[in-house]
């Protein structure tokens, strides 16, 4: 069985092992997001691109990708979160 493109065996090992279709889907999603922010004049820093690549390769899942990206953004551009 598969869990979002990740085999159950790989999931249990905590590993990557996504199939080609899932990797292509992740690549397309990242490319679309990159294009969207570029359209706004933003170039992603290498640190975020490294996180993106880990996600594309299947080393982290979507939740971890989001968490790492938000943590990086918060570190370089902290907000007061509505305070």
């Amino acid at each position: 069985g598969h869990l979002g493109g990740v085999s159950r065996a790989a999931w249990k090992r905590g590993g990557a092992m996504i199939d080609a279709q899932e990797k292509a889907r992740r690549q397309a999603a990242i490319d679309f997001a990159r294009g969207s922010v570029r359209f706004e004049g933003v170039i992603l820093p290498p640190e975020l691109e490294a996180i993106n690549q880990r996600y594309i390769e299947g080393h982290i899942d979507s939740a971890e990708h989001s968490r790492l990206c938000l943590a990086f953004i918060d570190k370089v551009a902290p907000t007061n979160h509505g305070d």
Side-chain angles (χ1 to χ4, degrees), residues 3-61:
L3 303 169
V6 180
S7 73
R8 287 188 191 279
W11 185 268
K12 287 179 183 175
R13 285 194 312 272
M17 305 292 292
I18 60 171
D19 59 32
Q21 185 177 2
E22 176 64 9
K23 184 175 179 179
R25 187 194 68 75
R26 291 178 180 207
Q27 181 71 60
I30 294 299
D31 289 346
F32 180 82
R34 185 184 297 113
S36 293
V37 298
R38 237 180 232 159
F39 184 73
E40 299 293 328
V42 175
I43 303 296
L44 296 178
E47 296 88 348
L48 282 179
E49 290 291 7
I51 295 168
N52 288 341
Q53 196 59 43
R54 289 177 61 203
Y55 172 67
I56 292 165
E57 295 294 329
H59 299 291
I60 58 176
D61 65 12

